[in-house]
Amino acid sequence: MIKINENYLKLKSSYLFSDIAKKVAAFQEQNKDREVIKLGIGDVTMPLPDSCIEAFHKAVDEMKSAATFKGYGPEQGYAFLREAIAENDFKTRGVNISAGEIFVSDGSKCDTGNIQELFSNDIKIAIPDPVYPVYVDTNVMAGRTGISENGRYGKLVYLESTEKNNFVPAPPAGDVDLIYLCFPNNPTGATATKEELAAWVKYAKEKKALILFDAAYVSFIRDENLPQSIYEIEGADEVAIEFRSFSKNAGFTGTRCAFTVVPDKVAAYDSEGNAHKLKDLWNRRHTTKFNGVSYPVQKAAEAVYSQKGAKEVRALTDFYLENAKIIKTEMTKNGYTCFGGENAPYIWIKSDLGSWEFFDMLLNKAGVVCTPGAGFGKCGEGYVRISAFNSRENVIKAMEKISRL
Ligand code: PLP
């Protein structure tokens, strides 16, 4: 008899975005003449930059001639892209990450979800609350979390991210082995300072723990004092893996390209206490289960680092940041307390209502869709997330509708 992995039964049954979609569909069914503006899901709305499209086309054309055709590429990514990443994302920030420590993939969702395969099942995991749900759910599937009671899995350590700590949790008092951090944060839009990250690096070194640092939204950082990579903190290259994506900077959400940095020095330990390079383990996993991102997509991603591409990416992220500014300004004028939205494309909005009531109110009265904070964890209750990924016209219209309430 074929049996299931029963850990899947421990997943919380409903999925946030499908619940939202159901509510929106029901509203539209009952209000056929009313317009609905979606400021919920974090997908980009602007097309790929011209320089990416040009490189993409050119690479596709290379596929039609035997002389330039590409079959399987290196699973870790082509050297041209890995070198461009090392040079532009790290060397320019004074960070010494080499091309050999970079693994190109088809998304940070897959990488942040798959990385847990490298670790033992009896490790203690710290996860922020609220949080991007992939970190929790992939550990539930692997059987590391126990069951969920009152919205919390028994074996996880929750790092509460609240107004009190500016949505940046400090290291816990006790021991944990694996720590997920995400800055700029989804959903709160919070950013972490060098000092705050340094406290985590110090903790990880003391405890022989590992930090998984998700920097999917790094391109929205405008404050020069904020670190862009965890490797700007001394010693982080011994205790941290960093995830980056082309999804939110260059609009690759549908094109798919990302990368993970596993520095040479990062180690994890076997049951006898012997250290093993995580880079070697990830390389083994990656080459066994993944066959590389397509050549044209990697060429399109490389174009992000050309002079023209960099300017286009800056303009794209500036555009969304201007949307964020409009949302934050208008919602603040409307009497709401707002967080994030300055070095991040998300605005985290506090309300006296529960987050689903707040969601229902905005949908039913203004026809605006947001994301209820409670869907990201217990500490998200009382908040909603509004996303800046939309057209200017829709953002302005949505704010006008909410202001009229
Ligand atoms: N990490 C965070 C924090 C995200 O919010 C998202 C997408 O919304 C991702 C990773 C996924 O990125 P990708 O499109 O590269 O899979």
Side-chain angles (χ1 to χ4, degrees):
M1 181 173 62
I2 180 68
K3 292 188 177 172
I4 61 161
N5 171 358
E6 291 194 19
N7 293 318
Y8 275 64
L9 305 178
K10 297 175 193 158
L11 290 164
K12 284 182 218 152
S13 60
S14 67
Y15 182 59
L16 175 64
F17 291 106
S18 64
D19 285 353
I20 293 172
K22 274 186 215 147
K23 282 196 176 231
V24 174
F27 174 80
Q28 283 181 311
E29 184 57 33
Q30 283 156 19
N31 301 275
K32 290 205 167 76
D33 53 334
R34 283 186 63 188
E35 186 189 14
V36 170
I37 303 178
K38 294 179 181 167
L39 298 179
I41 298 178
D43 196 358
V44 296
T45 53
M46 297 288 276
L48 295 186
D50 279 349
S51 42
C52 297
I53 291 290
E54 283 157 22
F56 212 165
H57 273 297
K58 206 165 149 235
V60 168
D61 282 342
E62 284 181 50
M63 295 303 218
K64 72 183 173 192
S65 146
T68 48
F69 166 78
K70 302 277 187 301
Y72 290 125
E75 291 98 337
Q76 302 87 345
Y78 283 99
F80 63 77
L81 180 57
R82 300 168 86 196
E83 277 159 16
I85 291 167
E87 184 62 37
N88 294 283
D89 282 337
F90 297 104
K91 287 236 165 67
T92 53
R93 305 280 309 171
V95 172
N96 195 19
I97 290 292
S98 72
E101 295 166 305
I102 293 164
F103 294 81
V104 175
S105 78
D106 60 354
S108 281
K109 185 182 205 173
C110 327
D111 287 353
T112 54
N114 290 329
I115 194 83
Q116 47 77 29
E117 283 183 28
L118 304 191
F119 311 115
S120 165
N121 255 27
D122 59 2
I123 54 168
K124 194 145 208 173
I125 305 171
I127 298 197
D129 176 5
V131 75
Y132 177 55
V134 172
Y135 318 148
V136 175
D137 287 356
T138 51
N139 279 293
V140 175
M141 291 169 178
R144 291 196 188 90
T145 61
I147 55 165
S148 166
E149 272 174 305
N150 300 319
R152 291 264 166 107
Y153 287 95
K155 291 190 189 166
L156 290 179
V157 172
Y158 286 90
L159 304 168
E160 299 203 341
S161 311
T162 62
E163 203 177 336
K164 265 195 209 141
N165 58 17
N166 273 327
F167 305 97
V168 182
D175 290 1
V176 296
D177 308 303
L178 184 67
I179 302 137
Y180 288 81
L181 296 176
C182 171
F183 295 108
N185 189 263
N186 175 15
T188 65
T191 49
T193 62
K194 273 195 180 142
E195 293 69 32
E196 285 161 339
L197 291 186
W200 276 109
V201 169
K202 182 166 176 271
Y203 176 91
K205 283 181 128 181
E206 279 167 14
K207 308 285 182 192
K208 288 190 166 170
L210 178 75
I211 299 169
L212 299 177
F213 189 74
D214 186 345
Y217 297 95
V218 63
S219 58
F220 294 90
I221 294 179
R222 291 293 178 271
D223 182 342
E224 268 304 317
N225 294 318
L226 289 172
Q228 298 200 0
S229 164
I230 193 156
Y231 304 122
E232 288 175 42
I233 313 304
E234 209 184 311
D237 61 349
E238 293 165 43
V239 289
I241 287 176
E242 183 165 303
F243 303 90
R244 298 235 190 156
S245 171
F246 294 96
S247 283
K248 310 297 164 100
N249 59 347
F252 275 53
T253 52
T255 307
R256 313 302 302 144
C257 197
F259 61 92
T260 290
V261 183
V262 190
D264 260 326
K265 290 187 202 156
V266 176
Y269 304 86
D270 64 25
S271 48
E272 272 147 31
N274 303 309
H276 297 265
K277 271 190 184 188
L278 279 176
K279 194 184 102 175
D280 294 345
L281 265 64
W282 185 244
N283 189 53
R284 191 71 174 86
R285 192 232 168 252
H286 208 62
T287 50
T288 304
K289 296 195 175 182
F290 185 64
N291 238 349
V293 174
S294 82
Y295 172 72
V297 168
Q298 292 193 57
K299 273 290 176 191
E302 184 197 20
V304 163
Y305 300 109
S306 65
Q307 241 181 19
K308 186 173 161 214
K311 265 195 200 149
E312 288 168 337
V313 163
R314 180 76 182 200
L316 271 179
T317 45
D318 276 348
F319 173 80
Y320 294 126
L321 283 170
E322 183 61 25
N323 280 352
K325 191 173 167 190
I326 294 169
I327 295 165
K328 192 167 184 178
T329 308
E330 291 307 311
M331 292 303 281
T332 306
K333 268 194 217 156
N334 289 329
Y336 295 104
T337 307
C338 302
F339 303 93
E342 268 149 40
N343 294 282
Y346 297 122
I347 301 94
W348 191 236
I349 301 169
K350 194 175 164 185
S351 156
D352 298 334
L353 301 171
S355 56
W356 277 104
E357 286 83 56
F358 194 7
F359 168 90
D360 286 335
M361 191 272 286
L362 289 182
L363 175 62
N364 293 319
K365 297 203 170 153
V368 173
V369 181
C370 62
T371 312
F376 297 101
K378 231 177 169 176
C379 293
E381 184 50 77
Y383 292 85
V384 296
R385 186 193 76 176
I386 291 191
S387 157
F389 293 120
N390 217 306
S391 66
R392 183 64 41 76
E393 187 194 352
N394 274 351
V395 164
I396 291 173
K397 219 191 285 174
M399 290 305 114
E400 282 170 0
K401 282 167 180 276
I402 294 174
S403 300
R404 264 187 247 123
L405 292 182

